[in-house]
Amino acid sequence: MNRLHVKLATTAAAASLFFSNLIAAQVGTYSPKGILPPAKTAAHVQITHGPELELANAYDKSAIIRWTTNNPGGTDQHYGVVHYGPNPEDLSQTAKSPNRMNRNHPDMTFRVRVEGLKPKSTYYYIVESTQGTGKSDGVKSPVRRFSTP
């Protein structure tokens, strides 16, 4: 019975270490000495390319919107966010995709999949990005549009 307790305790301790590192790695960058703090936030984040329609798929009624910014810094986890709708005055629908920042790259490319689109329709959209905490990177695009096949 004691062997069983020792084995269970050892397994539980190993599992807790493994899973705590996975969870911590999602918040910051894991290193052998621990988690790195968030990177220094960029003084001014701007969209350097796009936003633009990368793909519109009639089969699954989706589209992918892509844009690039200078490296925003902050948390390693970021989200690309697209606010869209069939009217430029009503961008009440939202699509969001996670993205992992590479601290060593000067820029960051976001790709967001927008689903549930109607065929042969025009949609208007703006894009923005946020850190993993939800804090805005401080950049929004002007209103753009795309059409579905």
Side-chain angles (χ1 to χ4, degrees), residues 101 108 135 140:
M101 180 183 73
M108 188 164 181
K135 179 183 176 189
K140 282 189 181 182

Side-chain angles (χ1 to χ4, degrees), residues 63-113:
I64 296 175
I65 306 296
R66 175 183 63 208
W67 70 98
T68 303
T69 68
N70 57 306
N71 192 322
T75 62
D76 289 340
Q77 181 74 39
H78 275 70
Y79 290 92
V81 182
V82 176
H83 301 281
Y84 66 99
N87 179 328
E89 303 299 321
D90 180 19
L91 306 177
S92 59
Q93 298 175 66
T94 302
K96 181 176 170 179
S97 293
N99 201 343
R100 194 124 185 102
M101 180 183 73
N102 184 328
R103 294 174 182 228
N104 297 318
H105 285 196
D107 52 30
M108 188 164 181
T109 299
F110 295 90
R111 297 175 75 236
V112 176
R113 182 181 174 97

